[in-house]
């Protein structure tokens, strides 16, 4: 059966270490397969309008949670690859995977916030090419004892290398370049809030075509959708994961039929507002139970 994971809030005034640990235990105790968190390094006003402070660094947070959990997988949705040197990202992700007993998943993206790129002294217009180049370095660093990338560095020692020379890698994005990137590098493609019609008619076929062109296996499919129940039916153009319990469970089932091995449920709101974590968790359990009860 298709697994269910959770996108957990690692930002906002309601979030503190106790809350984050409670979310991790909720995910593990209730059979959710993967807990993922978001990434921002320099939250400018553009970013803070959607992701208010404080913002907990995903690598530090997940390393801490790895020591306090035993079975739930821990990942990112998504790390913005251009924000960190690829050798640093390779080492952090490999160490997290090794120290967690093989439970880390590196979800990656190229980013969107131009003001955050500027604050970090980076060129936002080069983010796609940078992401491709960094993934090449990261995946080689996981597998090899040393890695080089002329003319920038030569024979840099890597390690600890993860078992099998790789870490589970999700590549996000819905554009043509992102789909090609997923086909080239990913364990799974990780589109965020896709429409079902686009996913079936365009996204999944484009992924298969890109993989065939590269002579590679088609990556798995792990979409992230909203998790927002409401008493009245939502209109046909609603986002996936928004509506009555029946509508949302039908969405998850449709994604499973489209080939999703896992669906990440995201209770985070579209804009900052006071959070009611107890209600969010209750709704997540309702979705889980109703999906599992389907024939």
């Amino acid at each position: 059966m298709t697994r269910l994971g959770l996108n957990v809030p690692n930002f906002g005034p309601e979030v503190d270490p106790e809350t984050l640990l409670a979310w991790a235990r909720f995910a593990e105790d209730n059979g959710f397969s993967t807990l993922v968190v978001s990434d921002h390094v320099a939250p400018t006003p553009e970013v803070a309008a959607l992701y208010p402070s404080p913002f907990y660094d995903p690598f530090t947070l997940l390393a801490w949670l790895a020591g306090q959990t035993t079975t739930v997988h821990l990942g990112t949705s998504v790390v913005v690859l251009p924000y960190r040197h690829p050798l640093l990202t390779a080492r952090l992700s490999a160490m997290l995977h090794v120290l967690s007993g093989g439970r880390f998943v590196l979800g990656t993206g190229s980013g969107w916030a131009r003001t955050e790129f500027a604050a970090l002294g980076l060129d936002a217009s080069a983010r796609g090419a940078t992401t491709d180049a960094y993934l090449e370095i990261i995946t080689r660093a996981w597998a090899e004892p040393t890695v080089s990338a002329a003319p920038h560095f030569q024979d840099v020692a890597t390690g600890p290398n993860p078992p099998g020379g790789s870490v589970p890698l999700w590549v996000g994005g819905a554009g043509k370049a992102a789909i090609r990137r997923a086909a080239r590098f990913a364990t799974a493609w990780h589109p965020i809030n896709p429409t079902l019609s686009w996913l079936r008619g365009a996204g999944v076929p484009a992924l298969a075509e890109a993989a065939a062109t590269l002579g590679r296996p088609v990556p798995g499919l792990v979409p992230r959708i909203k998790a927002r129940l409401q008493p009245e039916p939502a209109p046909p153009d609603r986002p996936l994961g928004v509506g009555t319990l029946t509508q949302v469970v039908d969405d998850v089932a449709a994604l499973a039929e489209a080939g999703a091995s896992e669906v990440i449920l995201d209770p985070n709101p579209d804009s900052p507002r006071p959070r009611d974590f107890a209600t969010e968790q209750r709704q997540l359990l309702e979705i889980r139970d109703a999906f599992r009860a389907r024939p």
Side-chain angles (χ1 to χ4, degrees):
M1 174 179 264
T2 297
R3 302 182 301 276
L4 299 178
L6 298 181
N7 187 41
V8 170
N10 59 321
F11 55 86
E14 298 95 345
V15 173
D16 55 24
E18 181 179 352
T19 303
L20 291 162
L21 182 56
W23 269 107
R25 288 178 173 159
F26 169 81
E28 184 159 89
D29 292 346
N30 290 286
F32 291 96
S33 57
T34 309
L35 177 158
V36 298
V37 296
S38 304
D39 178 40
H40 283 285
V41 171
T44 57
E46 176 187 23
V47 174
L50 296 174
Y51 302 93
S53 294
F55 202 105
Y56 286 78
D57 172 76
F59 289 107
T60 306
L61 170 60
L62 294 177
W64 176 62
L65 292 178
Q68 308 206 48
T69 55
T70 57
T71 59
V72 68
H73 287 74
L74 305 165
T76 54
S77 180
V78 289
V79 160
V80 184
L81 278 190
Y83 287 174
R84 298 171 181 83
H85 195 285
L87 292 176
L88 175 62
T89 301
R91 188 174 295 274
L92 288 172
S93 54
M95 289 185 67
L96 251 171
H97 196 56
V98 169
L99 295 174
S100 67
R103 291 187 289 131
F104 181 66
V105 179
L106 181 66
T108 64
S110 58
W112 57 270
R114 289 184 173 273
T115 55
E116 189 170 21
F117 276 87
L120 295 169
L122 301 171
D123 180 5
S125 65
R127 62 190 183 275
T130 299
T131 299
D132 287 334
Y134 282 13
L135 281 171
E136 175 69 32
I137 293 167
I138 289 165
T139 52
R140 286 196 288 114
W142 289 338
E144 301 169 9
T146 63
V147 65
S148 302
H152 306 292
F153 53 85
Q154 185 74 28
D155 295 329
V156 173
T158 63
N161 297 105
S166 65
V167 172
L169 176 63
W170 297 353
V171 171
K176 293 180 180 179
I179 291 173
R180 288 195 298 268
R181 186 177 302 130
R184 180 181 175 191
F185 294 106
T187 307
W189 178 38
H190 183 53
I192 297 174
N193 296 324
T195 66
L196 187 59
S197 60
W198 176 85
L199 194 67
R200 286 171 167 165
V204 170
L207 182 68
E209 181 180 354
T213 299
L214 293 166
R216 294 178 54 85
V218 180
L221 174 63
V222 182
R224 192 180 96 195
I225 66 171
K226 300 180 186 300
R228 197 173 308 154
L229 298 183
Q230 60 188 48
E232 298 298 324
D237 60 349
R238 65 192 172 85
L240 289 176
V242 176
T244 64
L245 179 60
T246 297
Q247 284 181 308
V248 172
V249 173
D250 284 347
D251 290 341
V252 178
L255 290 169
E257 292 170 4
S261 59
E262 183 171 1
V263 176
I264 304 298
L265 300 173
D266 180 7
N268 291 327
D270 295 325
S271 60
R273 60 169 172 77
R275 304 291 293 271
D276 182 350
F277 293 142
T279 296
E280 291 175 8
Q281 291 178 359
R282 175 181 55 79
Q283 292 187 351
L284 288 163
L285 292 177
E286 289 178 18
I287 296 168
R288 180 206 64 181
D289 291 345
F291 178 63
R292 288 180 176 177
R294 287 178 68 94

